[in-house]
Amino acid sequence: MLKKFAMIVSASAILAAGAAWAEPQELIIYQKWSSPAEVAALNVLKDGAEERGIEWIDITIPHDTGSNVNLLNLVTGGQPPNIFSENNPAVYRDLTQMGLGRPLTKDFEEAGVTANLPPSVVKSITVDGEIMKFPLGIHIDGMVFYNKAVAEKAGVDPASWTSLDDMFSEFGKIREAGYVPLAVGAQAWQIGYLTHALVATVGGADYFTRIYGPEPDAAALDEAPLRETFDWLRKFQQAADEGSVNRDWNMTTNFVISEKALMQIHGDWMKGEWRVAGKEAGKDFGCIQIPGAKALSVTVDAWGLLGNQPADVDGKQLEFALMTVSPDINSAFAAKKGSTPVRTDIDQSSLDPCSREVQAILKDPARQVQNPHSMVDADWQASIWEVAFNFWSDDSMTTDEAIEELKDNYDIILN
């Protein structure tokens, strides 16, 4: 917890108002970030909150701890946060049914925010026709970040790859040069993210929605893109280094930064770790979409507000939300986090090459899909993660067996 502070008002204000001190408004903020880059980005928000008379009371449950303490646990337990990190639309529906939903549609329109957000962002933060979340940053879930010094020493040019086959064909050459071709963090959520990035890559937007959309299609489980996805997972698993088991994502990024591996396929929040390490995009590292990707999964980091609060609390909650999407704060946050700013009216010349690449991707809506967390049934999503991780962890498990497990889960969860 931060220490309580007081805002000192000017002498003239004291004479005019007859008051000397203004107590800050406490807001309980529940979030899931803990890596160095994430913490640096949070500090941008904390500093901005302090300047606005908000005392940040922190609840941090890092997303990769396996803890089952979630937002609804806190709400039903009588200790709800005012502001919370949450993308799943079902949670916002549950809060609304409980009388605790807090729409932002009118506030964003009146403040001129909505008009300066990309359509893909507006879609991601909208639940049942209302803007229920405020966006902090944009990420592509499946990007290739590679060490340019390693690429040069290995004699490869990732920017020249036009397909996954092109990329994989050079794994032997990379190994011969003494480097791991692809660094992976073998945790369930990281393998889950790699899985849905590959489904988008090989299957395209329409197929992706049939697997990860609001109404998954059982017939899609029998089609070629899912089989191809598992085949690629096995190839990548067999090429991974022994240290990949249960390695955190940011430690995996640093495995690449320290020139032990050529590249990592993960969310482009990797960029924050490169920047914390003092590395420069385009000089020390390169960033490309997965070669040959038919579509890319877009994550919009988004938080929500607790509804049905006293007017003074609600006012500070809203002030916090509007602060995060203001051009100056959002740009500063993105620079630390490794994300791309959510606003379209930010000076594009200030963006690094990786953010400019993301902006170019976002110009083509037909190649964008939402992160599954923003669309799909949570139990179905969890079952895909479990099957993919078990497949990754067990060399003897075949693609046919993995698909059969998914079919069984589908019947149990969605039928």
Side-chain angles (χ1 to χ4, degrees):
M1 292 187 182
L2 302 175
K3 291 181 178 180
K4 285 195 172 184
F5 61 89
M7 292 195 321
I8 301 174
V9 294
S10 65
S12 59
I14 294 173
L15 293 174
W21 300 92
E23 285 291 328
Q25 175 65 59
E26 291 184 352
L27 293 181
I28 299 172
I29 298 175
Y30 169 65
Q31 51 84 23
K32 307 172 184 179
W33 293 337
S34 59
S35 78
E38 291 169 339
V39 171
L42 286 173
N43 285 335
V44 172
L45 303 185
K46 289 181 179 180
D47 290 345
E50 183 175 344
E51 290 173 2
R52 289 160 177 80
I54 296 169
E55 183 176 356
W56 178 304
I57 309 299
D58 197 63
I59 301 176
T60 301
I61 309 291
H63 57 74
D64 53 0
T65 62
S67 171
N68 64 356
V69 178
N70 60 35
L71 174 63
L72 292 180
N73 292 149
L74 295 171
V75 172
T76 57
Q79 295 180 313
N82 301 101
I83 296 167
F84 44 85
S85 169
E86 183 56 65
N87 268 331
N88 195 313
V91 172
Y92 290 91
R93 294 187 181 107
D94 288 343
L95 287 174
T96 298
Q97 290 176 0
M98 297 165 68
L100 296 173
R102 176 51 166 97
L104 291 163
T105 310
K106 182 179 178 182
D107 301 294
F108 272 26
E109 289 176 353
E110 290 179 350
V113 174
T114 310
N116 288 300
L117 298 177
S120 58
V121 172
V122 175
K123 183 177 180 180
S124 181
I125 62 177
T126 299
V127 179
D128 300 333
E130 291 277 6
I131 292 177
M132 299 298 296
K133 319 171 202 176
F134 57 95
L136 279 73
I138 302 170
H139 289 291
I140 303 298
D141 295 344
M143 291 285 279
V144 179
F145 272 57
Y146 62 94
N147 189 306
K148 291 179 76 70
V150 171
E152 183 177 355
K153 293 172 185 176
V156 298
D157 178 14
S160 71
W161 297 334
T162 60
S163 67
L164 284 169
D165 287 323
D166 281 353
M167 182 180 76
F168 191 71
S169 69
E170 299 207 284
F171 274 28
K173 185 177 182 180
I174 297 163
R175 278 192 292 266
E176 288 175 4
Y179 304 102
V180 174
L182 176 65
V184 178
Q187 296 174 326
W189 79 274
Q190 292 188 68
I191 301 306
Y193 264 67
L194 180 59
T195 300
H196 79 243
L198 288 171
V199 170
T201 294
V202 303
D206 291 341
Y207 182 79
F208 184 94
T209 304
R210 292 174 62 205
I211 296 290
Y212 291 103
E215 297 181 4
D217 180 3
L221 301 177
D222 280 318
E223 296 179 15
L226 187 60
R227 181 172 299 278
E228 190 175 349
T229 293
F230 277 101
D231 288 346
W232 277 113
L233 282 176
R234 179 61 74 220
K235 289 179 181 178
F236 291 159
Q237 178 264 326
Q238 291 174 345
D241 66 286
E242 292 182 359
S244 67
V245 178
N246 200 36
R247 183 167 54 204
D248 290 342
W249 73 266
N250 55 307
M251 297 306 295
T252 303
T253 305
N254 280 285
F255 193 66
V256 180
I257 294 172
S258 60
E259 299 189 14
K260 295 181 177 68
L262 171 66
M263 61 185 169
Q264 179 183 12
I265 298 177
H266 194 48
D268 63 1
W269 44 86
M270 294 180 286
K271 182 174 63 176
E273 296 301 305
W274 285 90
R275 296 189 69 160
V276 165
K279 305 299 183 180
E280 183 180 336
K283 176 184 176 183
D284 302 301
F285 64 97
C287 44
I288 57 173
Q289 61 184 293
I290 297 176
K294 294 180 181 178
L296 298 103
S297 175
V298 179
T299 285
V300 178
D301 281 330
W303 292 7
L305 304 179
L306 192 68
N308 196 25
Q309 300 301 293
D312 56 341
V313 176
D314 183 73
K316 281 299 182 183
Q317 290 182 167
L318 178 60
E319 186 176 358
F320 182 94
L322 293 175
M323 172 198 76
T324 66
V325 294
S326 64
D328 55 341
I329 293 291
N330 197 247
S331 292
F333 173 89
K336 298 292 186 182
K337 176 71 160 53
S339 57
T340 296
V342 298
R343 296 188 63 122
T344 57
D345 57 344
I346 288 173
D347 181 10
Q348 300 299 299
S349 66
S350 66
L351 301 179
D352 63 50
C354 293
S355 283
R356 288 199 293 271
E357 173 71 8
V358 173
Q359 292 280 25
I361 289 168
L362 294 176
K363 290 179 181 178
D364 186 358
R367 295 184 63 241
Q368 297 173 43
V369 293
Q370 292 187 72
N371 179 296
H373 284 302
S374 296
M375 297 192 293
V376 76
D377 178 271
D379 290 335
W380 174 237
Q381 164 82 333
S383 79
I384 296 175
W385 279 21
E386 180 180 16
V387 171
F389 185 60
N390 288 342
F391 177 80
W392 181 279
S393 303
D394 183 358
D395 282 338
S396 67
M397 189 175 184
T398 67
T399 292
D400 285 338
E401 289 170 339
I403 291 174
E404 284 304 313
E405 280 198 26
L406 285 177
K407 289 180 181 179
D408 291 342
N409 291 345
Y410 184 96
D411 290 339
I412 293 169
I413 297 168
L414 298 173
N415 274 342

